[in-house]
Amino acid sequence: MTESLYKKSYFSRIQELREYAPETCNTFFAFNDQALAEGELQAKLKELIAVAVAHITGCPYCIELHVGNVKKQKATKEEVTEAIFVAAALKAGSAAAHGVNALNAYDGEGTDNLYQASYFNRLKEFAALNGATFDAFLDFDKQAIQTNYLTEKEKELIAVASAHTTGCAYCIDLHTKNAKHAGANRHEIAEAIFVAVALKAGSALARSVNKLNAYDD
C-alpha cells in the first residue's frame, strides 16, 4: 500500500485518464478550460473563486494548482487569504443556516416542504440558545465578507460560488441577492457558478490519481 496518499507528483498521473475514458476526459477538460477562461469576469477573479471553492472541496491537488494559477495572475497573498476566508465563512455558514431545519425538526414544525425561505428567519433564535457562540460566528462572518483587499462585488461572487459548492439554499438566495446589490450582473454570477461547477467536478477527477495508485497496489 502506498503510505503517502497525497503527493504533488501523483497529480501527473491525471493524463492517464485519457487512456481509460478519452472522450469523457477530453470533454471535461474542454469545459474546465472554458469555465476558467476570462469572460465577463477577469481570469484573476475566476482563479480566486477557484481557490475558494478548492478549500471547500478540500482537494489538495486543486489547491496547489489554483493557488499557483492565481499567483501567476498577480494576486497578492492578502487577496488569496481573503478569498479563503470567504469560503470558510460560507462553509461554516451553511451549517449554521441548516440549523433552522434542525429547529424545525426538533420542534416538529413545518410542512412537508423542508426548505422555505421563511425558515431562515429562525436563525436569530440561536442568539437565545447559544448567544456567545452565535455572536462570535456572526462577527467572523461579517469580517470575512467585509471589503478590504477584495471589493464587495468580488467577495459576493466568491460567496455565490461557495454557496453553490456547499449546496445551501439559504446561502444561495442571500448571496445571489447580495451580489446583485453589489453590481454583479447575471452573466458574472453565471460565470462564478460555473467556476464552482468545474472545481467541484474537478476535485473528483483530481482525486482519481489516488484511484490509479490504489488500483496499482
Side-chain angles (χ1 to χ4, degrees):
M1 177 179 177
T2 302
E3 183 63 26
S4 177
L5 296 178
Y6 285 101
K7 285 185 178 180
K8 292 181 188 180
S9 56
Y10 294 163
F11 192 61
S12 63
R13 298 198 69 182
I14 198 79
Q15 295 301 325
E16 294 180 38
L17 297 178
R18 296 184 191 277
E19 178 182 347
Y20 307 118
E23 292 186 12
T24 306
C25 189
N26 288 337
T27 54
F28 168 76
F29 280 113
F31 160 64
N32 185 74
D33 290 345
Q34 181 61 42
L36 274 294
E38 187 156 323
E40 290 281 328
L41 301 181
Q42 293 183 346
K44 175 184 170 182
L45 179 55
K46 285 194 170 184
E47 286 295 345
L48 284 168
I49 293 171
V51 168
V53 172
H55 280 79
I56 296 175
T57 66
C59 173
Y61 304 119
C62 301
I63 292 171
E64 186 76 19
L65 174 65
H66 289 287
V67 169
N69 287 350
V70 82
K71 188 175 179 181
K72 293 175 184 176
Q73 292 293 334
K74 308 300 182 184
T76 65
K77 191 178 288 187
E78 288 82 4
E79 290 173 321
V80 173
T81 301
E82 285 196 3
I84 291 168
F85 274 114
V86 172
L90 265 289
K91 192 167 186 179
S94 69
H98 285 113
V100 303
N101 292 59
L103 294 174
N104 285 346
Y106 190 93
D107 295 342
E109 295 181 0
T111 65
D112 190 47
N113 186 353
L114 292 175
Y115 277 88
Q116 290 184 180
S118 59
Y119 294 163
F120 193 61
N121 295 329
R122 297 201 69 181
L123 190 67
K124 58 182 178 290
E125 295 179 35
F126 287 113
L129 294 167
N130 195 340
T133 304
F134 183 66
D135 288 345
F137 165 72
L138 290 182
D139 287 343
F140 164 61
D141 186 69
K142 181 180 179 181
Q143 182 62 43
I145 210 73
Q146 184 174 316
T147 300
N148 194 7
Y149 293 96
L150 299 177
T151 67
E152 179 186 2
K153 176 180 170 181
E154 289 171 333
K155 285 197 168 184
E156 287 297 346
L157 285 167
I158 293 169
V160 168
S162 297
H164 280 79
T165 308
T166 66
C168 174
Y170 305 115
C171 302
I172 291 170
D173 183 70
L174 174 64
H175 289 287
T176 298
K177 290 173 180 175
N178 287 352
K180 180 181 177 180
H181 184 264
N185 61 43
R186 290 174 183 268
H187 300 284
E188 292 171 320
I189 291 171
E191 287 193 7
I193 290 168
F194 274 111
V195 173
V197 174
L199 265 290
K200 200 166 184 180
S203 69
L205 190 71
R207 287 185 168 100
S208 67
V209 302
N210 292 53
K211 177 269 295 185
L212 294 172
N213 287 345
Y215 191 91
D216 290 348
D217 277 347

